Structures are given as structure tokens and as C-alpha cells.
Amino acid sequence: MYWLGFVVLIVCMAVAGIRKAQQADTWSWSKFALTLGFLALLGAIVTAPVLLMNPNGPHFLSVYIAAWIVGLGLLAGFIIQARRWKLPDSRTSLEANRNQPPPR
């Protein structure tokens, strides 16, 4: 039942982040959908060896570790690329965050 609390916490954090980005005019539903799709792809990469291979097989651990390394590498690359995304006014998200007034 602890996982349910974590799911609620993650949803609350996501809603708060979306509202904050919408107030700062840095929100994009298309980028949100792209991010969810990318996370689904990463989940598939990491889960595929568990579903498709014999866990007691001799190569399972090496394939599973390789899947995690590939997934983490893709995640790092995605984060680097996402920081360069442009807003409609040609600012990057980092520039927009830098120019925000301090929280009240």
C-alpha cells in the first residue's frame, strides 16, 4: 500500500510543476506528451529483458545491466537535449527560469 502513497505524491508534484510552468508561460503539452512517450520507451527497454528472457539463463544479468546502461544513457541525453528546447519567444527553458521573479 506504500506504492499508492508514492503515486499520489508524484501526481501532486506533477500537477504543481505543471501549474508553475503554466504561470511562467513555459508550458507545452506537446513536449509533455513527448516526455511521457520517451519515458514509456525507457520503461520498455528496461522491462524487455525481464519479459523476454529466462531470468535463470547465463546471459540474463549482462543483458539486463546493458539495458539499464542504455536506458540511463538515453535519459541523460534526453535531459541535455530538453534543456535546449526553445519556447515560442526563442528563449530556452533555462533562460526563462533565470528571468523569473523570486517566489512570493
Side-chain angles (χ1 to χ4, degrees):
M1 290 303 289
Y2 290 115
W3 67 270
L4 189 58
F6 285 116
V7 169
V8 170
L9 178 65
I10 289 170
V11 168
C12 289
M13 290 174 58
V15 169
I18 289 170
R19 288 186 179 161
K20 181 179 175 186
Q22 285 174 335
Q23 288 175 351
D25 199 28
T26 58
W27 182 253
S28 169
W29 282 106
S30 60
K31 291 177 184 176
F32 179 69
L34 177 68
T35 302
L36 288 180
F38 183 76
L39 291 175
L41 174 68
L42 287 181
I45 288 172
V46 172
T47 307
V50 175
L51 296 176
L52 300 175
M53 292 183 69
N54 178 10
N56 297 326
H59 302 293
F60 174 76
L61 188 58
S62 59
V63 171
Y64 192 58
I65 290 171
W68 271 101
I69 290 171
V70 168
L72 291 174
L74 288 173
L75 181 64
F78 183 79
I79 290 171
I80 290 168
Q81 188 64 32
R83 295 180 125 214
R84 295 185 189 142
W85 284 347
K86 298 285 184 185
L87 298 171
D89 60 358
S90 298
R91 296 178 300 164
T92 65
S93 57
L94 291 176
E95 292 169 345
N97 287 338
R98 202 176 304 127
N99 296 333
Q100 291 299 316
R104 297 178 210 161

